[in-house]
Amino acid sequence: MTTAVCPGSFDPFTLGHRYVVERAAACFDEVVITVVVNPNKRGMFGIDERIALIEEDCADLPGVRVDRWEGLLVDYLKQESIRTIVKGLRSAVDFDYEVPMAQMNRDLADVETVFLLTDPRFAHVSSSLVKEVAKLGGDVTPFLSPHIHKALVAKVTGERSV
Ligand code: PNS
């Protein structure tokens, strides 16, 4: 059985993420979306919220499950006996950011990183840009599943009323 990990912050999970997970699910028997906890970075969504939103988003994708991890990513892969990471590439900027991590992860734990190209529709979509646009009142419905859009609007509205 082939398994791959799709790691990320997913604050929140976008349709660009979903597209990469779909492509990965077509290549591997099992895909684990691992929400990586960064204790030094407080996101808009808590880890449990992110996991619940992703689980709902990917409920229709067979072989896809969601997990969490805090610490070195390769330690997670070792613990789970998984040897492959899947990352989405939107542009050369992503490539420059991802290649050193892929090489470091291979040095640390003999882990392979497989890059999948994102759909051009989502080449400009990132969680941070979506949050910024939403905070400023822009329409981000094309970039998120409806339940995640609803959750983001609730967060943004809550922040505005504080
Ligand atoms: O969605 P992001 O924030 O671009 O995801 C980056 C992430 C979380 C996958 C990356 O920062 C990571 O792997 N963090 C875990 C800590 C780690 O292993 N750092 C060394 C990477 S070589």
Side-chain angles (χ1 to χ4, degrees):
M1 172 147 135
T2 57
T3 305
V5 170
C6 285
S9 305
F10 306 120
D11 184 40
F13 192 75
T14 67
L15 289 179
H17 293 131
R18 156 114 193 173
Y19 180 86
V20 171
V21 170
E22 281 176 21
R23 304 265 50 86
C27 301
F28 296 89
D29 299 319
E30 185 185 43
V31 173
V32 189
I33 303 170
T34 304
V35 181
V36 178
V37 183
N38 182 346
N40 301 315
K41 206 166 134 191
R42 196 170 163 270
M44 177 179 270
F45 292 88
I47 301 303
D48 290 336
E49 284 179 295
R50 294 181 213 179
I51 289 173
L53 291 172
I54 299 168
E55 279 176 342
E56 187 175 343
D57 208 319
C58 297
D60 61 323
L61 298 177
V64 174
R65 62 185 170 89
V66 188
D67 201 358
R68 75 177 70 201
W69 181 254
E70 182 173 336
L72 262 186
L73 184 62
V74 292
D75 287 340
Y76 175 78
L77 278 101
K78 277 187 212 162
Q79 176 188 284
E80 302 294 314
S81 304
I82 301 171
R83 288 203 54 239
T84 310
I85 296 169
V86 168
K87 289 284 191 82
L89 283 186
R90 290 166 297 192
S91 66
V93 176
D94 277 353
F95 182 83
D96 287 344
Y97 173 70
E98 294 292 347
V99 165
M101 285 202 284
Q103 285 171 333
M104 180 61 79
N105 284 332
R106 195 171 54 191
D107 281 350
L108 290 171
D110 197 22
V111 157
E112 292 296 346
T113 301
V114 173
F115 293 111
L116 298 178
L117 293 182
T118 194
D119 188 287
R121 279 176 299 152
F122 305 122
H124 58 301
V125 178
S126 66
S127 301
S128 45
L129 205 48
V130 163
K131 283 184 287 192
E132 183 181 331
V133 171
K135 279 181 191 170
L136 296 170
D139 178 15
V140 291
T141 46
F143 314 122
L144 301 166
S145 291
H147 69 290
I148 298 184
H149 180 259
K150 195 174 159 199
L152 177 58
V153 169
K155 286 276 179 201
V156 168
T157 312
E159 276 183 12
R160 279 206 205 106
S161 62
V162 171

